[in-house]
Amino acid sequence: MATNSASSNPIGERTGPISGLPPPASDKTKAAITDAASADPIGQHRTATTASEQISESDTSGKKVKTEKELEKERKKAEKAKKFAEKKAKTATTATASGVSKTKEKRSKLEAKDEPLPEYVEETPEGQKKILKPFDDPLYKAYNPTIVESAWYAWWEKEGFFQPEFGPDGKVKKEGCFVIPEPPPNVTGLLHMGHALGNALQDCMIRWNRMKGKTVLWLPGCDHAGISTQSVVENMLWRRQGKTKYDLGREKFTELVWDWKEEYHQKINSVLRRMGGSFDWTREAFTMDANLSAAVTETFVRLHEEGTIYRANRLVNWCVKLNTALSNLEVVNKELEGRTMLDVPGYDKKVEFGVIVHFFYEIDRSNEKIEVATTRPETMLGDTAIAVHPKDERYKHLVGKNARHPFVTDRLMPIVADDYVDPEFGTGAVKITPAHDPNDFAIGQRHGLKFLNILNDDGTLNANAGPYNGQRRFDARRAVVEDLKAKGLYVKTEDNPMKVPLCDKSKDVIEPLMKPQWWMRMRDLADGAIKVVKDGQVKIRPETAERNYFRWLEGINDWCLSRQLWWGHQAPAYFIQFDGEEPGDNSDGELWVTGRTFEAAEEKTAAKYPGKKFTLHRDPDVLDTWFSSALWPFSTLGWPKETNDMALLYPTSVLETGWDILFFWIARMIMLGVKLTGQVPFKEVYCHALVRDSDGRKMSKSLGNVIDPMDVIQGTPLQALHDKLLLGNLDPKEVANATRFQKSAFPDGIPQCGTDALRFSLIAYTTGGGDINFDVKVIHGYRKFCNKIYQATKFVHGKLDKDFVPRKSAKKTGKESLAERWILHKFTTAAKEINQALETREFQQATLIVYQYWYNQLCDVYIENSKAIIQDGTEEEKRSAQDTLYTALEGALTTIHPFMPFLTEELWQRLPRRPNDPTPSIVKAAYPEYDEEMDDPSSEAAYELVMGISKGVRSLMAEYSLKDGKVYVQTYDDTSNKTVNEQLPSIKSLCGKVAISVEVISGDQEKPTGCVTFPVSSNAAVFLHVKGRVDIDAEISKAQAKLKKATDGTLRQKKILNDPAYQQKVSKDVQEMELKKLADFEAEALNYKATIEHFEKLKLE
């Protein structure tokens, strides 16, 4: 055909406006057409490439006239070139057209894929077994967590699958018992990723033990969380209505908290259900339920009657912001290197900390002064003495004298000698404030000093502070320093490294304050708790947690039980007011009685003080939240009543929780469990890591970096994350910081991951070691794993005949192919190792094993291998492959079920059941166990050789960019030779879409020439013929580099194996493995040497 002669554009370039571009011609096609045109004697047009060339085409003068013979030769050459060009052009055009057709088809498929699917509507009635649509339904073609997770939970719950099953005699089943009391989440707000981690681990253990046939109970519930919940509701009340709890009064305010509790309790339970938690909801508990409240009363009264609980006026950790006492565990010490300005709730300006102020006290009736120093200048208003060391020569003459207080003129302060004072520290003279410092408190008791409280509960100073009465504590701090300067008593201010005690909840600065409270003696209880762990009755994992447990209990202090709150368990204690008498000392324990009821308290009082008339006033304080939480493992089973659950299900099996509440909760449960029931509350404690944000910070509502599990399950746009920050009680100052963090961590929002991917990733994170930095990319990656499982099951389902019925048993028939024997071996080995890992709480190891079985062994190898057998094998081979596919897949689903409950149920229900198998749900299916008959190491070794060979072929073909070729497999022992010859079809199948011929040669034959090598192992090598198809010099360089690597590996292995210390310390099994590595390196080196020699010979051929 003629080209467009109106232009001289190069072939393949656009010539002008056209309705549609033709398929692009390749560079090779352009060159072929151009060459053919140049050589065509009959006038095929070739575009002139230059202006001079265009002119010369019309000017033929001066050229040599060719002979007829020369013209004939050129003509034949041109015809040959033309035919070649036409052939190439046709091939290129066909390929291009085919490419365009395929591109259009692919684009059409993508467009169809991109078409929005109709919104999923669950057709299954609530609580009924899910109605499953076929896989070819548009909504079911790909994995969709929304669809997969729909409907199953309501059915599980309605069918009672989560309730413990007892034996025919009503006792625990012969397989044993497994009980976990859920660590009750606080009703303060929504759940976070820490809850998701704990629940994923617990449900994994629960489902695994249930599938092993045990009597299993996972008991759910929530904690009232006294301080936290009251604080949240108070903040909410103030922000919404501008009111305080005092505006409502105790009764109305408590009703408001109950309303909050009901709302968030339901929200919490909703998320726990979405997480797939297999709780027995019929046994759900709340720490302020009637029976649990009765347990609190019983414990308090019983321990008070025996003297373990007592009344005393002692220093407490007072939080001004929350207006309550705190235990030591609820106080966080912030370390400062020196002068630091800190935000304090209630103050507009920052307050100075990290300095020490020196000043003088004047000695009464003397011109002398004594220098003291303090990090809290305002506390000098409560000073009642000055202490010096008895051997300090500087101050011996002052001991027994008094110092005058500069601001409270009638106060004289004795100077006392006490060994506690360090004469080398500071000035060697210490101001003593017995009512506001723990160390000073002890000195005050030893020397009978006055205890002057200068603080009101709201943080203002009282009348004992003299002229500073009514001032706020940190305003008084600045005022005192200025007044000392005015009186000439100020010396200096210096930087001072120190710890500032902060309330863990409010971040307010804690004040040591004298308060009459209820206390619990802890020494004897702690000794009992230490004993049961050392005796092995309770196992604490990991070992670091156990060591921390012992350290804390060995240095334990008495526990302050009183909290000045309205929300919680009101102390069952009553103050006695005798008629006609002045009220007694509130801290006097003799004027208090306890009772299980008010009437019981009256009877106690009447018996204690016969004939006296009295009125009882109940203590308005509530008890520390952890007091009721410490009873959780047995109060939830009915204690103090003698219930069937207490008789059969106590002690519980495992307490799984975060290490950060080891002292708050775990130790106290053990102490009170042993004390009140005579038994340990659980036999094992597993402390998981903390989930931190992607920057490594602890997730905290006050930082706004808490991740809601539902946001990960459902997916959430970035703006929605921002909007959530405005819904809670987050400090406005932190909203901007939290917004920036969200933009950095989730620039595109959080993608939908689904429950199963979330659970699996959290369990996979759990090593028993360091904390977890949250990364949504990892979780989303496991969603892809879910899709792999979904598509694999979908494929297998499609390869099973419609009337396929599995064999009655998974036992081997003896007719299995090598590939079948291999996958069954891998399956039973995986089952054995996963069971062992879960038993020892090696959670990450368990996920790794099940992941490898699913991904690397079942999907990537056996399913791929089975395709050819099912398609081309005999009927017997096909049936055997289907049976093995079923066994391997059904076992894979049950194996991973504890980690991924929804996906596995969705897919398991689509598989046919074995004859006489009535199992209604995978929840109740038997967990795979090790089967010795399936354990086949020889078949494993043989098939690993087959896979190694196919990997070698694929690797070489890819490395040299070949689509076809001649392959040789050289074996070095009879067993390998027999295996390879028998498995040639499998080898070709696993090699993928490459056209190869394979020849097997023995080790005593010459290595094939013209080949490159892939050393499979010491048993075999793969050779690919490349002569005439590759750059030989380049390949020699490659082989030399590989030879060096193999040689280095050989030397390294020899050094290890020849080390006498290694030979003595390392087990024989490990040494055999290292010897195998050495043999493999040596085989590699020999093969690469041979390859280099072959290439060198090729150059000479």
Side-chain angles (χ1 to χ4, degrees), residues 358-362 369 404 406-407 483-492:
H358 293 250
F359 66 94
F360 288 121
Y361 272 128
E362 296 176 322
K369 298 176 183 177
R404 293 193 306 272
F407 306 127
D483 292 345
L484 286 170
K485 290 179 180 178
K487 285 183 173 287
L489 298 176
Y490 171 81
V491 178
K492 61 182 176 180

Side-chain angles (χ1 to χ4, degrees), residues 1067-1078:
S1067 68
K1068 293 295 182 184
D1069 290 342
V1070 174
Q1071 289 188 46
E1072 286 178 10
M1073 288 173 60
E1074 297 299 328
L1075 282 168
K1076 176 69 167 55
K1077 286 182 184 178
L1078 174 62

Side-chain angles (χ1 to χ4, degrees), residues 620-640:
D621 290 351
V622 301
L623 301 175
D624 184 0
T625 294
W626 297 104
F627 185 82
S628 57
S629 300
L631 313 178
W632 184 254
F634 44 96
S635 64
T636 51
L637 296 176
W639 188 91

Side-chain angles (χ1 to χ4, degrees), residues 985-996:
S986 289
I987 292 171
K988 289 183 177 181
S989 174
L990 291 170
C991 284
K993 298 177 181 178
V994 290
I996 58 170

Side-chain angles (χ1 to χ4, degrees), residues 11-313:
I11 293 170
E13 294 295 320
R14 291 187 61 173
T15 60
I18 51 177
S19 58
L21 289 174
S26 70
D27 291 338
K28 288 184 179 179
T29 303
K30 292 178 188 178
I33 295 174
T34 302
D35 290 343
S38 300
D40 190 350
I42 60 174
Q44 171 68 37
H45 176 79
R46 176 183 71 85
T47 306
T49 57
T50 66
S52 61
E53 187 178 348
Q54 289 178 329
I55 294 170
S56 67
E57 282 182 347
S58 59
D59 181 13
T60 58
S61 62
K63 283 190 176 182
K64 178 185 175 182
V65 179
K66 296 179 181 180
T67 64
E68 187 175 341
K69 188 175 180 181
E70 287 174 330
L71 289 171
E72 178 64 16
K73 187 177 180 181
E74 284 186 3
R75 185 183 67 77
K76 288 181 178 179
K77 184 179 178 182
E79 284 181 350
K80 187 176 180 182
K82 179 186 175 186
K83 287 179 181 179
F84 175 75
E86 287 174 343
K87 183 179 178 182
K88 293 285 284 184
K90 183 179 179 182
T91 303
T93 304
T94 303
T96 305
S98 173
V100 171
S101 175
K102 288 180 179 178
T103 302
K104 284 183 177 178
E105 183 182 350
K106 186 175 182 181
R107 188 183 298 120
S108 176
K109 287 182 178 179
L110 286 172
E111 287 171 355
K113 185 178 179 182
D114 291 339
E115 289 178 7
L117 292 171
E119 185 177 352
Y120 178 73
V121 177
E122 183 54 66
E123 298 176 6
T124 308
E126 181 78 12
Q128 298 298 307
K129 187 174 182 179
K130 186 172 182 178
I131 300 169
L132 292 173
K133 300 282 184 70
F135 276 127
D136 57 9
D137 185 292
L139 289 170
Y140 284 82
K141 285 187 176 180
Y143 169 70
N144 183 332
T146 301
I147 297 172
V148 166
E149 294 165 17
S150 177
W152 289 119
Y153 197 93
W155 177 61
W156 290 336
E157 190 176 340
K158 185 179 179 183
E159 291 297 313
F161 292 153
F162 302 155
Q163 295 176 27
E165 283 188 3
F166 296 94
D169 58 356
K171 305 293 185 183
V172 168
K173 292 163 71 175
K174 61 180 176 61
E175 288 82 0
C177 177
F178 189 80
V179 179
I180 294 181
E182 180 205 17
N186 296 339
V187 291
T188 47
L190 301 175
L191 300 183
H192 52 68
M193 293 306 295
H195 294 109
L197 170 62
N199 281 284
L201 293 171
Q202 291 164 50
D203 198 35
C204 178
M205 290 187 282
I206 284 288
R207 288 179 180 270
W208 174 60
N209 278 280
R210 186 184 291 118
M211 295 174 79
K212 291 174 81 70
K214 296 180 182 179
T215 298
V216 170
L217 171 64
W218 192 16
L219 198 151
C222 283
D223 195 299
H224 67 280
I227 291 177
S228 298
T229 305
Q230 178 163 322
S231 177
V232 167
V233 176
E234 282 192 69
N235 288 336
M236 179 269 294
L237 180 63
W238 178 254
R239 292 195 179 191
R240 292 183 184 177
Q241 302 181 31
K243 294 182 179 179
T244 69
K245 64 181 179 181
Y246 302 106
D247 294 322
L248 271 62
R250 184 163 188 160
E251 184 177 348
K252 289 292 184 183
F253 178 77
T254 303
E255 289 176 5
L256 186 63
V257 183
W258 273 107
D259 290 341
W260 175 282
K261 175 266 174 191
E262 291 300 326
E263 177 184 352
Y264 279 89
H265 195 155
Q266 293 307 312
K267 288 180 178 179
I268 287 167
N269 287 355
S270 174
V271 176
L272 292 175
R273 286 180 167 93
R274 281 297 303 272
M275 283 287 296
S278 54
F279 297 101
D280 178 5
W281 292 104
T282 66
R283 287 173 164 83
E284 185 186 7
F286 177 58
T287 48
M288 288 177 65
D289 284 345
N291 188 72
L292 276 72
S293 296
V296 169
T297 298
E298 175 66 26
T299 302
F300 192 93
V301 172
R302 188 185 296 186
L303 296 183
H304 177 259
E305 288 176 343
E306 70 173 38
T308 299
I309 290 177
Y310 63 96
R311 186 78 172 176
N313 188 20

